[in-house]
Amino acid sequence: MQEITEKISLLRKEKNAVILVHNYQLPEVQDIADFTGDSLELARLSQKLDCKVILFCGVHFMAETAKILNPGKIILIPDLHAGCPMADMITDQQLRREKEKHPGAAVVTYINSTAEVKALSDICCTSANGIKVVNSLGNEEIIFTPDKYLGSYVERQTKTKKFYLWSGYCPTHMVFSRADIEKLKRVHRTAEVLVHPECRIEVQEIADRICSTSQMISYAKDSKTSEFIICTEVGMLYPLQKENPDKKFIAGSPNAICPNMKLNSLEKILWALEDMKHEIHVDETIRKKALKAIEKMVAI
Ligand code: 13P
Ligand code: SF4
C-alpha cells in the first residue's frame, strides 16, 4: 500500500493534479486526499484550485459538476461506473414534461443529478443549502428534483411555498428505520441522532439534527454530547472519528453502504493518473446552461 501511495504522490505532482475526495470514500482513499468534503464544499473548492487536473473520487455527478464549473481543467474519475442511482431517476425529457405542467414554478434540482437535468433547472442545491436556496427564490411554486426526501425536508422548513416533489430517492439511505434508531437510542441514551436529509421522513422526524455530511463533522465537534447515532452512508464514520477522536459514533444501520462510492480504490486512482483516465466531458451547450443553475447556488 505504501508503494501505491508514494506513486500516487509523485504522479499528482508530475501531472499538476489535485485529488478531491467525498466523505463517503474508502478510508485509504480519504487518507491520500488533497481535500475531503461534502458536495457543496468540493464544488466550491474546485473553482479555487490552481491546477491542470482534478481527480475526483466520488460519484459521476460530482466529477461532472466540477467539469461544468471548470471547463479548462481536465477532470478525471477513477471508475466510470461510479454513478448515482438517484441522479438517474429523472431524465431531461421527464423534467421538460413536469415544467409544462407547472409553468409558474421554479425548478430546484439537487446536485445529485445529470448535467442535462441541471441545464433545465433554475437553480441547484445540495443537502447543505436547500432551505437557503428555496428561500432565495421569489416563486410561490417549486418543482423539486430528484430527491423526494430532501425536497420534503426543505418543503417543511420553507412552509409557505407549494412544492411538486419528483419521486426519486437514494437506495442507500432507504435502509434506515425509525424502529432501529429508537432501539439504538435505548442503548445509547445520551446519543444525539444526526440524519442526512436523504433519509425517509420517519427517520428525519426523530433527528436531533438534519444536515449534510460535512455539517455532521462540524456539529459533532461543537456539541457537548460525546455519542452520536449517524444516519448516512457508513463511510461517514471514518472522517467523523478522525476529526473527533474523543467522541463515539454509532452507525444508524451497518447496511447503509453506497456500492458506487466504494468503486474507487487506490489502484484505480493510480491508473487514472498514469493513463489520464477517465476524463469527464460535457456538451458545451448543456454545460453553459447547467453552469447558470450551479453558479446561482454557489453565489448564495
Ligand atoms: P453530501 O453533499 O451531504 O455530502 O451528500 C452527497 C450524497 O450523495 C449523499 O448521499
Ligand atoms: Fe447517490 Fe445515495 Fe450513493 Fe449518495 S449515497 S451517491 S445519493 S446512491
Coordinates of all heavy atoms in Angstrom, one line a residue, residues 22 24 110 127 147 149 170-185 191-217 219-220 227-237 240 248-258:
H22 N -14.8 12.7 -1.7 CA -16.0 12.8 -0.9 C -15.9 12.1 0.4 O -15.2 11.0 0.5 CB -17.2 12.3 -1.7 CG -18.5 12.6 -1.1 ND1 -19.2 11.6 -0.3 CD2 -19.2 13.7 -0.9 CE1 -20.3 12.2 0.2 NE2 -20.3 13.5 -0.2
Y24 N -17.7 9.9 1.8 CA -18.1 8.5 1.8 C -17.0 7.6 1.3 O -17.2 6.4 1.3 CB -19.3 8.3 1.0 CG -20.6 8.9 1.4 CD1 -21.7 9.0 0.5 CD2 -20.8 9.3 2.7 CE1 -22.9 9.6 0.9 CE2 -22.0 9.9 3.1 CZ -23.1 10.0 2.2 OH -24.3 10.6 2.5
Y110 N -31.5 19.1 -7.0 CA -30.4 18.6 -6.1 C -29.2 18.3 -7.0 O -29.3 17.9 -8.1 CB -30.9 17.3 -5.5 CG -30.1 16.7 -4.4 CD1 -29.2 17.5 -3.6 CD2 -30.2 15.4 -4.0 CE1 -28.5 16.9 -2.6 CE2 -29.5 14.8 -3.0 CZ -28.6 15.6 -2.3 OH -27.9 15.0 -1.2
S127 N -27.4 19.1 0.0 CA -28.0 18.8 1.2 C -27.7 19.8 2.3 O -28.3 19.9 3.3 CB -27.5 17.4 1.7 OG -26.1 17.4 1.8
D147 N -34.7 14.3 -5.5 CA -34.9 13.6 -4.2 C -36.1 14.0 -3.5 O -36.2 15.1 -2.9 CB -33.7 13.8 -3.4 CG -33.7 13.0 -2.1 OD1 -34.6 12.1 -1.9 OD2 -32.9 13.2 -1.2
Y149 N -37.1 13.1 -0.6 CA -37.0 13.2 0.9 C -36.3 14.5 1.2 O -36.7 15.2 2.1 CB -36.2 12.0 1.5 CG -37.1 10.8 1.3 CD1 -36.6 9.7 0.5 CD2 -38.3 10.7 1.9 CE1 -37.4 8.5 0.4 CE2 -39.1 9.5 1.8 CZ -38.6 8.5 1.0 OH -39.4 7.4 0.8
C170 N -32.6 7.9 -2.6 CA -31.3 7.2 -2.6 C -31.6 5.8 -2.0 O -32.0 5.7 -0.8 CB -30.4 8.0 -1.7 SG -29.0 7.0 -1.2
P171 N -31.3 4.8 -2.7 CA -31.5 3.4 -2.2 C -30.6 3.2 -0.9 O -31.1 2.5 0.0 CB -31.0 2.5 -3.3 CG -30.9 3.4 -4.5 CD -30.7 4.8 -4.1
T172 N -29.5 3.8 -0.8 CA -28.6 3.6 0.4 C -29.3 4.2 1.6 O -29.2 3.5 2.7 CB -27.2 4.2 0.1 OG1 -26.7 3.6 -1.0 CG2 -26.3 4.1 1.3
H173 N -29.9 5.3 1.5 CA -30.5 6.0 2.7 C -31.8 5.4 3.1 O -32.4 5.7 4.1 CB -30.5 7.5 2.5 CG -29.2 8.2 2.6 ND1 -28.3 8.2 1.7 CD2 -28.6 8.8 3.7 CE1 -27.2 8.8 2.1 NE2 -27.4 9.2 3.3
M174 N -32.4 4.6 2.2 CA -33.7 4.0 2.5 C -33.6 2.9 3.6 O -34.6 2.5 4.1 CB -34.2 3.2 1.2 CG -34.7 4.2 0.1 SD -36.1 5.1 0.6 CE -37.4 3.9 0.3
V175 N -32.4 2.4 3.9 CA -32.3 1.3 4.8 C -32.5 1.7 6.3 O -32.8 0.9 7.2 CB -30.9 0.6 4.7 CG1 -30.7 0.1 3.3 CG2 -29.8 1.5 5.2
F176 N -32.5 3.0 6.6 CA -32.7 3.5 8.0 C -34.1 3.4 8.3 O -35.0 3.8 7.5 CB -32.2 4.9 8.2 CG -30.7 5.1 7.9 CD1 -30.2 5.6 6.7 CD2 -29.8 4.7 8.9 CE1 -28.9 5.7 6.5 CE2 -28.4 4.8 8.6 CZ -28.0 5.3 7.4
S177 N -34.4 3.0 9.6 CA -35.8 2.9 10.0 C -35.9 3.6 11.4 O -35.0 3.5 12.2 CB -36.4 1.5 10.1 OG -35.8 0.9 11.2
R178 N -37.1 4.1 11.7 CA -37.3 4.8 13.0 C -37.2 3.7 14.1 O -36.5 4.0 15.1 CB -38.7 5.3 12.9 CG -39.1 6.1 14.2 CD -40.5 6.6 14.1 NE -40.8 7.5 15.2 CZ -41.2 8.7 15.0 NH1 -41.6 9.1 13.9 NH2 -41.4 9.5 16.1
A179 N -37.7 2.5 13.9 CA -37.7 1.5 14.9 C -36.2 1.1 15.2 O -35.9 1.0 16.4 CB -38.4 0.2 14.4
D180 N -35.3 1.0 14.2 CA -33.9 0.7 14.5 C -33.2 1.8 15.3 O -32.4 1.5 16.2 CB -33.1 0.5 13.2 CG -33.5 -0.9 12.5 OD1 -34.1 -1.7 13.2 OD2 -33.1 -1.0 11.3
I181 N -33.5 3.0 14.9 CA -32.9 4.1 15.6 C -33.4 4.2 17.1 O -32.6 4.5 18.0 CB -33.1 5.5 14.9 CG1 -32.7 5.4 13.4 CG2 -32.4 6.6 15.5 CD1 -31.3 4.9 13.1
E182 N -34.7 4.0 17.2 CA -35.2 4.0 18.6 C -34.6 2.9 19.5 O -34.3 3.2 20.7 CB -36.7 3.9 18.6 CG -37.3 5.3 18.2 CD -38.8 5.3 17.9 OE1 -39.4 4.2 17.8 OE2 -39.4 6.4 17.8
K183 N -34.3 1.8 18.9 CA -33.7 0.7 19.6 C -32.3 1.1 20.0 O -31.9 0.9 21.2 CB -33.6 -0.5 18.6 CG -33.8 -1.8 19.2 CD -34.0 -2.8 18.1 CE -33.6 -4.2 18.4 NZ -33.8 -5.0 17.2
L184 N -31.5 1.7 19.1 CA -30.2 2.2 19.4 C -30.2 3.2 20.5 O -29.3 3.3 21.4 CB -29.5 2.8 18.1 CG -29.0 1.8 17.1 CD1 -28.6 2.5 15.8 CD2 -27.8 1.0 17.7
K185 N -31.2 4.1 20.4 CA -31.4 5.2 21.4 C -31.6 4.6 22.8 O -31.1 5.2 23.8 CB -32.5 6.1 21.1 CG -32.3 7.2 20.1 CD -31.5 8.4 20.6 CE -32.3 9.3 21.5 NZ -31.5 10.4 22.0
A191 N -27.0 9.7 23.4 CA -26.5 9.9 22.0 C -27.5 10.9 21.2 O -28.7 10.8 21.4 CB -26.4 8.6 21.2
E192 N -26.9 11.8 20.4 CA -27.7 12.6 19.5 C -27.8 11.9 18.2 O -26.8 11.2 17.8 CB -27.0 14.0 19.3 CG -27.2 14.9 20.6 CD -26.8 16.3 20.2 OE1 -25.5 16.6 20.3 OE2 -27.6 17.1 19.9
V193 N -28.9 12.1 17.5 CA -29.2 11.4 16.2 C -28.9 12.4 15.1 O -29.7 13.4 15.0 CB -30.6 10.8 16.2 CG1 -30.8 10.1 14.8 CG2 -30.8 9.9 17.4
L194 N -27.9 12.2 14.3 CA -27.6 13.1 13.1 C -28.1 12.4 11.9 O -27.7 11.2 11.6 CB -26.1 13.4 13.0 CG -25.5 13.9 14.3 CD1 -24.0 14.4 14.0 CD2 -26.2 15.1 14.9
V195 N -29.0 13.0 11.1 CA -29.6 12.4 10.0 C -29.4 13.2 8.7 O -29.5 14.4 8.7 CB -31.2 12.4 10.3 CG1 -32.0 11.9 9.1 CG2 -31.4 11.4 11.4
H196 N -29.0 12.5 7.6 CA -28.9 13.1 6.3 C -30.3 13.3 5.7 O -31.2 12.4 5.9 CB -28.0 12.2 5.4 CG -27.5 12.9 4.2 ND1 -28.3 13.1 3.1 CD2 -26.4 13.6 3.9 CE1 -27.6 13.8 2.2 NE2 -26.4 14.1 2.7
P197 N -30.5 14.4 5.1 CA -31.9 14.7 4.6 C -32.4 13.7 3.4 O -33.5 13.8 3.0 CB -31.9 16.1 4.1 CG -30.4 16.4 3.9 CD -29.7 15.6 4.8
E198 N -31.5 12.8 3.0 CA -31.9 11.8 2.0 C -32.7 10.7 2.7 O -33.2 9.8 2.1 CB -30.7 11.2 1.2 CG -30.2 12.2 0.2 CD -28.9 11.7 -0.4 OE1 -28.6 10.5 -0.4 OE2 -28.2 12.5 -1.1
C199 N -32.6 10.7 4.1 CA -33.3 9.6 4.8 C -34.9 9.8 4.7 O -35.3 10.9 4.5 CB -32.9 9.6 6.3 SG -31.2 9.1 6.5
R200 N -35.6 8.7 5.0 CA -37.0 8.8 4.9 C -37.6 9.7 6.0 O -36.9 9.9 7.1 CB -37.7 7.4 5.1 CG -37.4 6.6 3.8 CD -38.0 5.2 3.9 NE -37.3 4.4 4.9 CZ -38.0 3.5 5.7 NH1 -39.3 3.3 5.5 NH2 -37.4 2.8 6.6
I201 N -38.8 10.2 5.9 CA -39.4 11.2 6.8 C -39.5 10.7 8.2 O -39.2 11.4 9.2 CB -40.7 11.7 6.3 CG1 -40.5 12.4 4.9 CG2 -41.4 12.7 7.2 CD1 -41.7 12.6 4.1
E202 N -39.8 9.4 8.4 CA -39.9 8.8 9.7 C -38.6 8.9 10.5 O -38.6 9.0 11.7 CB -40.5 7.4 9.7 CG -39.5 6.4 9.0 CD -39.9 4.9 9.3 OE1 -41.1 4.6 9.2 OE2 -38.9 4.1 9.5
V203 N -37.5 8.9 9.7 CA -36.2 9.0 10.4 C -35.8 10.4 10.6 O -35.3 10.8 11.7 CB -35.1 8.3 9.5 CG1 -33.7 8.4 10.1 CG2 -35.5 6.8 9.2
Q204 N -36.2 11.3 9.6 CA -35.9 12.7 9.8 C -36.7 13.2 11.1 O -36.2 14.1 11.8 CB -36.5 13.5 8.6 CG -35.7 13.3 7.3 CD -36.2 14.1 6.2 OE1 -36.9 15.1 6.4 NE2 -35.8 13.8 5.0
E205 N -37.9 12.6 11.3 CA -38.7 13.1 12.5 C -38.0 12.9 13.8 O -38.4 13.6 14.8 CB -40.1 12.4 12.4 CG -41.0 13.1 11.4 CD -42.3 12.3 11.2 OE1 -42.4 11.2 11.7 OE2 -43.1 12.8 10.5
I206 N -37.2 11.9 13.9 CA -36.5 11.6 15.2 C -35.1 12.2 15.3 O -34.4 11.9 16.3 CB -36.6 10.1 15.6 CG1 -36.0 9.3 14.5 CG2 -38.0 9.7 16.0 CD1 -35.8 7.8 15.0
A207 N -34.7 13.0 14.3 CA -33.4 13.5 14.3 C -33.2 14.6 15.3 O -34.1 15.4 15.6 CB -33.1 14.1 12.9
D208 N -32.0 14.7 15.9 CA -31.7 15.9 16.7 C -31.2 17.0 15.7 O -31.3 18.1 16.0 CB -30.6 15.6 17.7 CG -31.1 14.7 18.8 OD1 -31.9 15.2 19.6 OD2 -30.7 13.5 18.9
R209 N -30.6 16.5 14.6 CA -30.1 17.5 13.6 C -30.1 16.8 12.3 O -29.7 15.7 12.1 CB -28.6 17.8 14.0 CG -27.9 18.7 13.1 CD -28.4 20.1 13.3 NE -27.9 20.9 12.2 CZ -27.7 22.2 12.2 NH1 -28.0 22.9 13.3 NH2 -27.3 22.9 11.2
I210 N -30.7 17.6 11.3 CA -30.7 17.1 9.9 C -29.6 17.9 9.1 O -29.7 19.1 9.1 CB -32.1 17.2 9.3 CG1 -33.1 16.4 10.0 CG2 -32.1 16.9 7.8 CD1 -34.5 16.6 9.6
C211 N -28.7 17.2 8.5 CA -27.6 18.0 7.9 C -26.8 17.2 6.8 O -26.9 16.0 6.7 CB -26.6 18.6 8.9 SG -26.1 17.4 10.1
S212 N -26.0 18.0 6.1 CA -25.1 17.4 5.1 C -24.0 16.6 5.8 O -23.8 16.7 7.0 CB -24.5 18.4 4.2 OG -23.4 19.0 4.9
T213 N -23.2 15.9 5.0 CA -22.1 15.1 5.6 C -21.1 15.9 6.3 O -20.8 15.7 7.5 CB -21.5 14.2 4.5 OG1 -20.9 15.0 3.5 CG2 -22.4 13.2 4.0
S214 N -20.7 17.0 5.7 CA -19.7 17.9 6.4 C -20.2 18.6 7.6 O -19.6 18.9 8.6 CB -19.0 18.8 5.4 OG -18.2 18.1 4.6
Q215 N -21.5 19.0 7.5 CA -22.2 19.6 8.6 C -22.2 18.7 9.8 O -22.2 19.1 11.0 CB -23.6 20.1 8.2 CG -23.6 21.3 7.3 CD -24.9 21.6 6.7 OE1 -25.8 20.8 6.7 NE2 -25.1 22.8 6.3
M216 N -22.3 17.4 9.6 CA -22.2 16.4 10.7 C -20.9 16.5 11.4 O -20.9 16.4 12.7 CB -22.4 15.0 10.2 CG -23.8 14.6 9.7 SD -23.9 12.9 9.2 CE -25.6 12.9 8.7
I217 N -19.8 16.7 10.7 CA -18.5 16.8 11.3 C -18.4 18.0 12.2 O -18.0 18.0 13.4 CB -17.4 16.8 10.3 CG1 -17.4 15.6 9.4 CG2 -16.0 17.0 11.0 CD1 -16.4 15.5 8.3
Y219 N -21.0 19.8 13.4 CA -21.9 19.7 14.5 C -21.4 18.8 15.7 O -21.4 19.2 16.8 CB -23.3 19.1 14.0 CG -24.3 19.0 15.1 CD1 -25.1 20.1 15.4 CD2 -24.5 17.9 15.9 CE1 -26.1 20.1 16.4 CE2 -25.4 17.9 17.0 CZ -26.2 19.0 17.2 OH -27.1 19.0 18.2
A220 N -20.8 17.7 15.3 CA -20.2 16.8 16.4 C -19.1 17.5 17.1 O -19.0 17.3 18.3 CB -19.7 15.5 15.7
E227 N -21.7 11.1 22.3 CA -22.1 9.9 21.4 C -23.1 10.3 20.4 O -24.0 11.1 20.7 CB -22.8 8.9 22.3 CG -21.8 7.9 23.0 CD -22.6 6.7 23.6 OE1 -23.7 7.0 24.2 OE2 -22.2 5.6 23.4
F228 N -22.9 9.8 19.2 CA -23.8 10.2 18.1 C -24.3 8.9 17.3 O -23.4 8.1 17.0 CB -23.1 11.1 17.1 CG -22.6 12.4 17.8 CD1 -21.4 12.4 18.5 CD2 -23.4 13.5 17.9 CE1 -21.0 13.6 19.1 CE2 -23.0 14.7 18.5 CZ -21.8 14.7 19.1
I229 N -25.5 8.9 17.0 CA -26.0 7.9 16.1 C -26.1 8.5 14.7 O -26.7 9.5 14.5 CB -27.4 7.3 16.5 CG1 -27.3 6.7 17.9 CG2 -28.0 6.4 15.5 CD1 -28.6 6.4 18.6
I230 N -25.4 7.9 13.7 CA -25.2 8.5 12.4 C -26.1 7.8 11.3 O -25.9 6.7 11.0 CB -23.7 8.4 12.0 CG1 -22.8 9.1 13.1 CG2 -23.5 9.1 10.6 CD1 -23.1 10.6 13.3
C231 N -27.0 8.6 10.8 CA -27.9 8.1 9.7 C -27.5 8.6 8.4 O -28.1 9.6 7.8 CB -29.3 8.4 10.1 SG -29.8 7.7 11.6
T232 N -26.4 8.1 7.9 CA -26.0 8.3 6.5 C -25.1 7.2 6.1 O -24.8 6.3 6.9 CB -25.4 9.7 6.3 OG1 -25.3 10.0 4.9 CG2 -24.0 9.8 6.9
E233 N -24.5 7.2 4.9 CA -23.6 6.2 4.4 C -22.5 5.9 5.4 O -21.9 6.8 6.0 CB -23.0 6.6 3.1 CG -22.8 5.5 2.1 CD -21.4 4.9 2.2 OE1 -20.5 5.5 2.9 OE2 -21.1 3.9 1.6
V234 N -22.2 4.6 5.6 CA -21.3 4.2 6.7 C -19.8 4.8 6.6 O -19.1 4.9 7.6 CB -21.1 2.7 6.9 CG1 -22.4 2.1 7.5 CG2 -20.8 2.0 5.6
G235 N -19.5 5.1 5.4 CA -18.1 5.7 5.1 C -17.9 7.0 6.0 O -16.8 7.4 6.3
M236 N -19.0 7.6 6.3 CA -19.0 8.8 7.1 C -18.4 8.7 8.5 O -17.9 9.6 9.1 CB -20.5 9.3 7.2 CG -20.6 10.8 7.6 SD -19.7 11.8 6.4 CE -19.1 13.0 7.6
L237 N -18.5 7.4 9.0 CA -17.9 7.2 10.4 C -16.4 7.5 10.4 O -15.9 8.0 11.4 CB -18.2 5.8 10.8 CG -19.7 5.4 11.0 CD1 -19.8 4.0 11.7 CD2 -20.5 6.4 11.8
L240 N -15.7 11.3 10.7 CA -16.2 11.8 11.9 C -15.3 11.4 13.1 O -15.0 12.2 13.9 CB -17.6 11.2 12.2 CG -18.8 11.9 11.5 CD1 -20.0 11.0 11.5 CD2 -19.1 13.2 12.1
K248 N -17.8 9.2 20.3 CA -18.2 7.9 19.8 C -19.3 8.0 18.7 O -20.3 8.7 18.9 CB -18.7 7.0 21.0 CG -18.9 5.6 20.6 CD -19.2 4.7 21.8 CE -19.5 3.3 21.4 NZ -20.0 2.5 22.4
F249 N -19.1 7.3 17.6 CA -20.0 7.4 16.5 C -20.6 6.0 16.2 O -19.8 5.0 16.0 CB -19.4 8.0 15.3 CG -18.9 9.4 15.5 CD1 -17.6 9.6 15.9 CD2 -19.8 10.5 15.5 CE1 -17.1 10.9 16.2 CE2 -19.4 11.8 15.8 CZ -18.0 12.0 16.1
I250 N -21.9 5.9 16.2 CA -22.5 4.6 16.0 C -23.3 4.6 14.7 O -24.1 5.6 14.5 CB -23.5 4.3 17.2 CG1 -22.7 4.4 18.5 CG2 -24.3 3.0 17.0 CD1 -23.3 5.3 19.6
A251 N -23.2 3.6 13.9 CA -23.9 3.6 12.6 C -25.4 3.4 12.8 O -25.7 2.4 13.6 CB -23.3 2.5 11.7
G252 N -26.2 4.2 12.3 CA -27.7 4.0 12.4 C -28.1 2.7 11.7 O -29.1 2.1 12.1
S253 N -27.3 2.3 10.7 CA -27.5 0.9 10.1 C -26.2 0.5 9.5 O -25.6 1.3 8.7 CB -28.6 1.0 9.0 OG -28.5 -0.2 8.2
P254 N -25.7 -0.7 9.8 CA -24.5 -1.2 9.1 C -24.7 -1.4 7.6 O -23.7 -1.7 6.9 CB -24.2 -2.5 9.9 CG -25.5 -2.9 10.4 CD -26.3 -1.7 10.6
N255 N -25.9 -1.5 7.2 CA -26.2 -1.8 5.8 C -26.2 -0.6 4.9 O -26.5 -0.7 3.7 CB -27.5 -2.5 5.7 CG -27.5 -3.8 6.5 OD1 -26.5 -4.5 6.6 ND2 -28.6 -4.1 7.2
A256 N -26.0 0.6 5.4 CA -26.1 1.8 4.6 C -24.8 2.0 3.8 O -23.9 2.8 4.2 CB -26.4 3.0 5.4
I257 N -24.6 1.2 2.8 CA -23.3 1.2 2.0 C -23.7 1.6 0.6 O -24.5 1.0 0.0 CB -22.6 -0.1 2.0 CG1 -22.3 -0.5 3.5 CG2 -21.4 -0.1 1.1 CD1 -21.9 -2.0 3.7
C258 N -23.0 2.7 0.1 CA -23.3 3.1 -1.3 C -22.2 2.3 -2.2 O -21.0 2.6 -2.1 CB -23.1 4.6 -1.5 SG -23.2 5.1 -3.2

